[in-house]
Amino acid sequence: MALRQIIGENVKKYRLEKDLSQQVLVHKAKISISCLRKIEHGEENITVDLLENLAYSLGVEPKDLLVKLSPEELPTKKRAKRKKTERLHNP
């Protein structure tokens, strides 16, 4: 697995754990939505500066974005939808 895919999975994982929308994260990190989407899908090569910027925008250390996730830790659409449903029913 390419390092950019690992970074993308971690960005998405932490974004969902922190209950941040893509719009909120792009605002905090000062990047475009298309750039974030490419990062989360492992399609974007990012600089060390951007890695650091994303990490701090997510409230984690840059090294946390470099750790390969186990299958159970991978973000899924099902988990994201469940969190959204929980927010709607538990304001």
Side-chain angles (χ1 to χ4, degrees):
M1 175 181 289
L3 185 56
R4 67 177 174 257
Q5 290 176 300
I6 293 169
I7 293 168
E9 289 172 351
N10 280 307
V11 168
K12 186 171 184 176
K13 172 190 174 233
Y14 288 116
R15 179 177 63 78
L16 294 173
E17 281 182 4
K18 307 279 184 182
D19 203 23
L20 297 174
S21 68
Q22 287 182 328
Q23 290 291 347
V24 170
L25 182 55
V26 299
H27 179 73
K28 289 176 109 178
K30 296 179 175 67
I31 59 173
S32 71
I33 191 77
S34 63
C35 181
L36 178 60
R37 286 182 180 142
K38 287 178 184 177
I39 291 168
E40 287 190 350
H41 288 99
E43 300 168 355
E44 186 78 11
N45 286 318
I46 65 172
T47 64
V48 173
D49 290 336
L50 181 52
L51 176 78
E52 186 176 53
N53 183 17
L54 282 168
Y56 294 138
S57 296
L58 290 164
V60 299
E61 293 294 320
K63 66 181 175 72
D64 297 329
L65 299 180
L66 302 173
V67 177
K68 186 173 181 180
L69 300 173
S70 68
E72 299 81 34
E73 295 174 301
L74 291 173
T76 64
K77 289 182 180 181
K78 186 176 180 180
R79 289 183 197 155
K81 287 180 183 176
R82 185 177 65 227
K83 284 189 96 170
K84 184 176 183 179
T85 303
E86 289 170 2
R87 284 195 312 270
L88 292 174
H89 296 302
N90 299 317

